Amino acid sequence: LATHRRAALTLDAQDFGTAVPLLMHARSLLSRDDAGFSCRGALMECNNELGVAWCERGEPSRALPFLRDAQMAHAFAGEEHTTGRGTAEEKTETTPPPTDAEELAHTRTLFLLAQTLGQLRKPDEAARACSWCLRRQLEKKGGDESAAPDEWAQNAAQLSGFYVSKRDWPGAWMCILAATKVIQDAAEEIAEMAAVDVVANVNIARGKFHLARLTLAKDAFKKGGAGDAEVDEDFFNPHEVSSGGEGEAETTTTTTTT
């Protein structure tokens, strides 16, 4: 843990040449079998910091494996695992559930994943990570208070634009409604911050959503039906938002964060 703290301080000083070897050494220590679950949060943060370091050095492809490792550490928290497999000492244990600190580390992992995947030109995965991050910030996982309401609403409004480009009407509409609700609930705070642009941007996102749907409807009408416009059921009822959550999606995988 002391090695990790020293490495983190070096990273904060933006001494990446020194920070990366220190972080790798700390990671190897924190990954040892005798490190215990009390070091799990530090290991997650160490992987996050290695992701930051490689992204700052312009190598997001080298950052991604560390962020995936941090993501998996959270996914396995609270799960059963077997030790001593195939020996007389084989036993099955349940790992401790995530602590608040680990929940915060996981939210940061998703934030960094969204940025990294965006740099790697993987917009679908980047949007998915961004969506999970926004959801966790809204739910204040681990007591997270990091997301200012204007920034959160801005990010949600911009994410809606990605969903519109994919004709994911429920996803886009959910982002717009969530951004609108956050702005309404934090109206006084946003006014004090003079963050009037975010209100305009959310309204612009709403306008682009309706414009895209009207354009698609016009094209379908011209063709005498859906035809090449590929109008699906969600087009007619965008308010039916799917209930799929982060946990379900993470079992299969995870724009720069907007």
Side-chain angles (χ1 to χ4, degrees):
L1 291 175
T3 302
H4 173 235
R5 284 194 290 270
R6 185 158 63 95
L9 289 172
T10 306
L11 181 64
D12 288 341
Q14 297 190 329
D15 183 358
F16 303 118
T18 304
V20 169
L22 279 174
L23 286 168
M24 289 299 296
H25 180 53
R27 183 174 182 267
S28 66
L29 295 175
L30 294 168
S31 301
R32 288 169 42 175
D33 290 338
D34 59 357
F37 294 118
S38 62
C39 294
R40 187 174 59 192
L43 178 59
M44 292 170 66
E45 284 291 16
C46 188
N47 279 313
N48 283 343
E49 288 152 358
L50 280 163
V52 170
W54 284 116
C55 279
E56 289 289 343
R57 297 177 74 169
E59 298 189 60
S61 61
R62 300 188 69 172
L64 188 58
F66 296 110
L67 298 176
R68 292 298 193 198
D69 282 351
Q71 189 181 22
M72 292 305 296
H74 180 270
F76 288 136
E79 299 291 323
E80 290 186 351
H81 75 289
T82 301
T83 58
R85 192 181 298 275
T87 69
E89 298 180 355
E90 179 176 332
K91 61 180 179 179
T92 300
E93 299 176 332
T94 300
T95 61
T99 64
D100 284 351
E102 289 165 0
E103 292 288 13
L104 289 172
H106 184 54
T107 301
R108 185 165 183 245
T109 299
L110 294 173
F111 176 82
L112 295 170
L113 268 173
Q115 293 182 315
T116 302
L117 291 165
Q119 292 178 37
L120 291 172
R121 301 184 183 279
K122 296 183 177 181
D124 289 3
E125 291 185 67
R128 191 178 304 122
C130 181
S131 176
W132 292 340
C133 179
L134 289 173
R135 180 177 299 182
R136 291 176 62 84
Q137 287 176 331
L138 195 62
E139 295 173 350
K140 300 189 186 304
K141 287 285 188 179
D144 189 3
E145 299 287 349
S146 64
D150 61 322
E151 292 178 359
W152 194 98
Q154 177 74 26
N155 291 340
Q158 292 189 6
L159 183 59
S160 75
F162 172 81
Y163 288 131
V164 166
S165 72
K166 294 293 184 178
R167 295 184 182 177
D168 181 352
W169 310 116
W173 190 242
M174 180 177 66
C175 288
I176 292 167
L177 290 181
T180 302
K181 183 68 165 61
V182 167
I183 287 174
Q184 290 173 343
D185 290 349
E188 292 185 6
E189 183 178 349
I190 289 176
E192 291 175 0
M193 297 167 63
V196 292
D197 286 352
V198 69
V199 179
N201 289 336
V202 171
N203 286 325
I204 289 171
R206 185 187 295 267
K208 288 182 176 179
F209 170 85
H210 291 303
L211 178 60
R213 284 167 52 79
L214 287 169
T215 301
L216 189 58
K218 179 182 176 182
D219 292 344
F221 180 77
K222 284 182 177 180
K223 296 177 184 296
D228 294 337
E230 298 179 358
V231 181
D232 55 27
E233 292 181 2
D234 286 341
F235 176 81
F236 297 103
N237 190 2
H239 302 239
E240 293 295 328
V241 179
S242 63
S243 58
E246 171 194 344
E248 177 184 350
E250 281 187 352
T251 59
T252 58
T253 37
T254 96
T255 12
T256 300
T257 314
T258 51

